Amino acid sequence: MTRTGPDRRPTLADVAARAGVSTALVSIVLRDAPGASAATRERVRQVAAEIGYRPDSRARLLRSSRSRLLGVVFGVQHAFHGDLVSGLYAAAERVGYELALSAVTPGRDERRAVAGLLQDRCEALVLLGPSSPTAALADLATRLPVVVVARPVRSTAVDVVRTADDEGMHLAVEHLLALGHRDVVHVDGGRAPGAAERRRGYREAVRRAGLPARTVPGGLAEDDGAAAARALLAGPLPTAVTVFNDRCALGVVDVLRRAGGSVPGDVSVVGYDDSRIARLTSVDLTSVAQDVEQLTTLAVTRAVERLDGVPVARRDLVVPPRLVVRSSTAPPR
């Protein structure tokens, strides 16, 4: 009798040995292909259930002429990327594809993350907020379809699905102006994907209101927001701040409160992305929301359209944002 146990995953051969048939016949039954009697099908399925056999769909896909794998590159430092990955899984499942994930970390750059997915025989790549130059992305698109999410790319070779980030920052500033704020500062995202568009949106909105624009260096993470808040505390404190993303905004809020300030009593704070951090009860951050479901559905749809040879008219798909108001914003004192 074939042994199985917690230290070894049951195989097709284990099912065949227990059922007393060939592995080829087991494969026919489990693929629901013709060539096996009803009695054999029942016996094989019963044995598979008894020993806990589960087909290795990844291995099956890799053996086929089509892998039906979409490679996804994401950044572990981006809280919003976690939301996007969840949405991509759901969107891919709806059209019969699977995902292969490859992370960008402080010690693993984007080039290595992409290389790992190419070895996995991914049919197309979905890159979340990539930092690679446009020329590198266009070169990669000569090898397989490439869909970039959450970053504009000026290339006819690359498909883009993004939020109208400038409009998102318009919403943030207009919300603060409607509350009565007239001294609104922007904590910048530096060279991060989307930062330039959000910075431009902030400047357009405050200048349209006849107010001066002032930006403070920020970044992706809480430490960047903390540094920005310390810079704000060193000078005249504004009554409101828009921030590049939610993680950075969390750092801003933390330092302001540790210094004895009140949010929103002394300073109103608006984040960006409406990530899970913003929705925590203890944070309750007003934030510009990106439509995760629409972004991820469009990204997967566009990748599959490229693979299927479907002609598409537009390379750049832009999704409107919305503002979610919570307790971090209020009228100025």
Side-chain angles (χ1 to χ4, degrees), residues 202-323:
Y202 157 78
R203 288 173 174 166
E204 290 171 348
V206 293
R207 287 171 178 167
R208 189 163 54 227
L211 301 174
R214 180 159 68 105
T215 61
V216 174
L220 292 170
E222 291 88 347
D223 288 348
D224 300 310
R230 286 191 288 269
L232 291 173
L233 288 167
L237 198 63
T239 64
V241 178
T242 61
V243 189
F244 167 68
N245 71 6
D246 293 336
R247 284 188 64 188
C248 190
L250 191 61
V252 170
V253 171
D254 181 62
V255 167
L256 290 177
R257 286 176 173 166
R258 287 177 184 273
S262 169
V263 175
D266 295 312
V267 182
S268 287
V269 178
V270 181
Y272 204 107
D273 291 336
D274 192 35
S275 60
R276 294 175 186 179
I277 292 173
R279 301 193 293 269
L280 292 173
T281 304
S282 58
V283 178
D284 205 39
L285 181 70
T286 296
S287 184
V288 177
Q290 302 195 59
D291 190 333
V292 171
E293 182 176 2
Q294 189 173 5
L295 288 169
T296 53
T297 297
L298 287 172
V300 169
T301 299
R302 180 49 55 89
V304 173
E305 287 174 342
R306 291 297 179 193
L307 291 170
D308 292 343
V310 177
V312 293
R314 294 177 56 198
R315 284 280 187 179
D316 192 23
L317 303 177
V318 183
V319 177
R322 62 188 176 88
L323 183 71

Side-chain angles (χ1 to χ4, degrees), residues 69-110:
L69 278 175
L70 302 178
V72 178
V73 173
F74 68 101
V76 295
Q77 292 182 299
H78 296 263
F80 183 60
H81 285 191
D83 294 344
L84 289 173
V85 168
S86 296
L88 287 170
Y89 268 115
E93 185 177 4
R94 288 195 294 268
V95 292
Y97 277 75
E98 293 191 15
L99 301 185
L101 303 182
S102 190
V104 177
T105 73
R108 187 174 191 256
D109 63 17
E110 199 165 278

Side-chain angles (χ1 to χ4, degrees), residues 107-227:
R108 187 174 191 256
D109 63 17
E110 199 165 278
R111 182 183 56 81
R112 288 176 60 192
V114 168
L117 293 175
L118 296 177
Q119 291 177 350
D120 275 349
R121 286 186 59 210
C122 293
E123 294 190 55
L125 295 182
V126 179
L127 310 180
L128 306 185
S131 59
S132 297
T134 298
L137 294 173
D139 181 66
L140 183 62
T142 63
R143 306 173 62 181
L144 75 176
V146 173
V147 180
V148 168
V149 179
R151 171 192 157 182
V153 178
R154 296 182 180 277
S155 170
T156 57
V158 178
D159 287 292
V160 173
V161 179
R162 62 183 177 90
T163 297
D165 282 325
D166 54 347
E167 293 180 15
M169 202 52 73
H170 290 169
L171 294 175
V173 173
E174 288 164 3
H175 165 65
L176 294 170
L177 295 177
L179 290 173
H181 293 278
R182 292 297 178 266
D183 186 5
V184 182
V185 171
H186 180 61
V187 176
D188 196 19
R191 301 184 67 180
E197 289 71 33
R198 297 175 194 183
R199 181 168 57 246
R200 183 178 68 245
Y202 157 78
R203 288 173 174 166
E204 290 171 348
V206 293
R207 287 171 178 167
R208 189 163 54 227
L211 301 174
R214 180 159 68 105
T215 61
V216 174
L220 292 170
E222 291 88 347
D223 288 348
D224 300 310

